[in-house]
Amino acid sequence: MTKVGFISLGCSKNQVDTEVMLKSLADAGYTIVSDETEADIVVINTCGFIESAKRESIDNILDVAWLKENRSLRGIVVTGCMAERYREQIFSEMPEVDALLGVGSLAHIVDAVRAVDSGEKYSSFEDKEKSPLGGERILTTPAYSAYLKIAEGCDNRCTYCAIPLIRGRLRSRPIEDLVAEAVALGKNGAKELNIIAQDTSRYGLDLYGRYRLTDLVREICRATDIPWIRLLYCYPDKITDELIAEMRDNPRLLPYMDIPIQHISDHILTAMNRHGNGRLVRETVEKLRREVPGITLRTTAMVGFPGETREDFEELCNYLREARFDRFGAFTYSPEEDTPAASFPNQIDEQEKQDRYDILMQTQLPISEELQRAKVGSDVTVLCEGYDRVASTHFGRSAADAPDVDGKVYFSSKKRVAPGKFVRVHLTDALDYDLIGEAVEVLD
């Protein structure tokens, strides 16, 4: 039987799409292999959000193309955001690619692989706003930690962002479908459910006429016993008092929130078409800290947006010192085709963007170090992820650490701890982004 390999690039939302395609191909009888050098056909699920992501996608296509030319690989299928956005250019400029699927055609992955397996070219770009939501998956994450994608697309229309062009308008999945998927993931051994969408906090507005994220969390908690539920990608202007109260009162909804603020300057936020101003951002952060003691806040910010003055940038640096975010990431502005900001005046020089990025990350580093050191001497619950034989230590994540984007907790233990087990760990040391400790008790 034909062997198919997968390369999944970009965000966790793309990863869920990959998992759905894996299930479709497995059900059709194809053999899935983890090493692309062993594959007959490789599917590359691309990202096209910013320039660096596009470069990564292109590099991966070229690497796999080398296998096609020099090894036994017979075909390349390109899917995802870059395929959707650059369909004409990919076929014309990369003849090594045999099939293209837009984001609205992922359900046709079996047709694409079958065509390539027969030596034919294939492409499909169906309406992205009518494509199925959800679907059975083969997890690429460990069974104990899974993503739950609750919506597709985005209605925010930030002037720098191509996601609405690529993925279409917001489309929320019905609560009953999501609860059924959460139940299945729980039966499969999920201890942690990471809820994701382009804008998680907007969930339900298109289907129900109001925000329903809190209702969704409550229904999942009623239907499952998954102990950790984590919210990612919540926008400051849509974090309701109801949601904050649920996080405060529901021990299974982790006191962790990912809030992409992007900036704090009113001038820049208005130019970005962000909903809400700097005051709203400040008030939301203050309210979360006040109402949910001990909450871990993650955010991202963009530097070098067109027209960002030195004063705007200094205001952002000052706010970083003031807010003391537990987790922080930044990126430089990338002018994306067909987005309003790409044609804005006063574009920032690339070197200046990089300089500002470096300064911003240097501003955050001592904050992160200080917050990490403050945890030494306390006990935390850690979800064990494995054992590092080289370092002779276990590792995992606490409630304050989201998968893929945050740090780890490394801990010693007299007995081997299985992945997926909760452990109480006494913290003895801190690194820039990771923690070190000793296992006190295996909790389950």
Side-chain angles (χ1 to χ4, degrees), residues 60-132:
N60 273 270
I61 294 171
L62 293 176
D63 287 345
V64 173
W66 185 92
L67 293 175
K68 188 179 179 185
E69 183 177 345
N70 295 280
R71 295 290 187 268
S72 58
L73 186 71
R74 297 202 305 270
I76 302 172
V77 180
V78 175
T79 67
C81 291
M82 201 174 80
E84 175 72 28
R85 197 169 185 203
Y86 300 105
R87 59 186 78 171
E88 303 298 334
Q89 294 97 314
I90 292 175
F91 260 157
S92 62
E93 298 177 15
M94 308 184 81
E96 302 91 345
V97 174
D98 300 286
L100 284 174
L101 291 180
V103 297
S105 296
L106 301 186
H108 294 291
I109 186 62
V110 173
D111 295 333
V113 170
R114 188 175 292 134
V116 171
D117 205 17
S118 301
E120 303 169 9
K121 289 275 189 177
Y122 183 94
S123 66
S124 177
F125 294 91
E126 295 192 357
D127 188 344
K128 52 182 167 275
E129 294 183 358
K130 294 181 180 178
S131 61

Side-chain angles (χ1 to χ4, degrees), residues 49-50 85 156-165 262 267-274 302-308 331-350 353:
F49 176 50
I50 56 177
R85 197 169 185 203
N156 288 327
R157 301 287 173 178
C158 301
T159 56
Y160 55 82
C161 185
I163 292 300
L165 301 172
Q262 305 305 12
H267 162 231
I268 296 299
L269 289 171
T270 299
M272 288 178 169
N273 195 36
R274 299 288 288 181
M302 178 191 295
V303 295
F305 188 80
E308 182 189 54
F331 58 102
T332 59
Y333 167 73
S334 171
E336 297 301 310
E337 299 98 322
D338 302 320
T339 61
S343 60
F344 282 2
N346 301 314
Q347 298 283 329
I348 307 295
D349 176 77
E350 289 300 324
K353 292 179 192 176

Side-chain angles (χ1 to χ4, degrees), residues 327-397:
R327 307 284 185 260
F328 177 75
F331 58 102
T332 59
Y333 167 73
S334 171
E336 297 301 310
E337 299 98 322
D338 302 320
T339 61
S343 60
F344 282 2
N346 301 314
Q347 298 283 329
I348 307 295
D349 176 77
E350 289 300 324
Q351 185 58 54
E352 179 66 21
K353 292 179 192 176
Q354 187 61 46
D355 290 346
R356 293 182 186 185
Y357 169 85
D358 292 340
I359 292 170
L360 201 61
M361 296 309 294
Q362 289 165 9
T363 301
Q364 175 66 22
L365 183 58
I367 297 170
S368 295
E369 290 175 341
E370 187 177 336
L371 292 173
Q372 290 286 86
R373 284 196 301 270
K375 297 176 183 178
V376 174
S378 65
D379 289 2
V380 294
T381 299
V382 173
L383 179 60
C384 181
E385 295 182 300
Y387 182 78
D388 187 329
R389 293 181 182 276
V390 175
S392 299
T393 184
H394 291 81
F395 60 91
R397 291 178 292 103

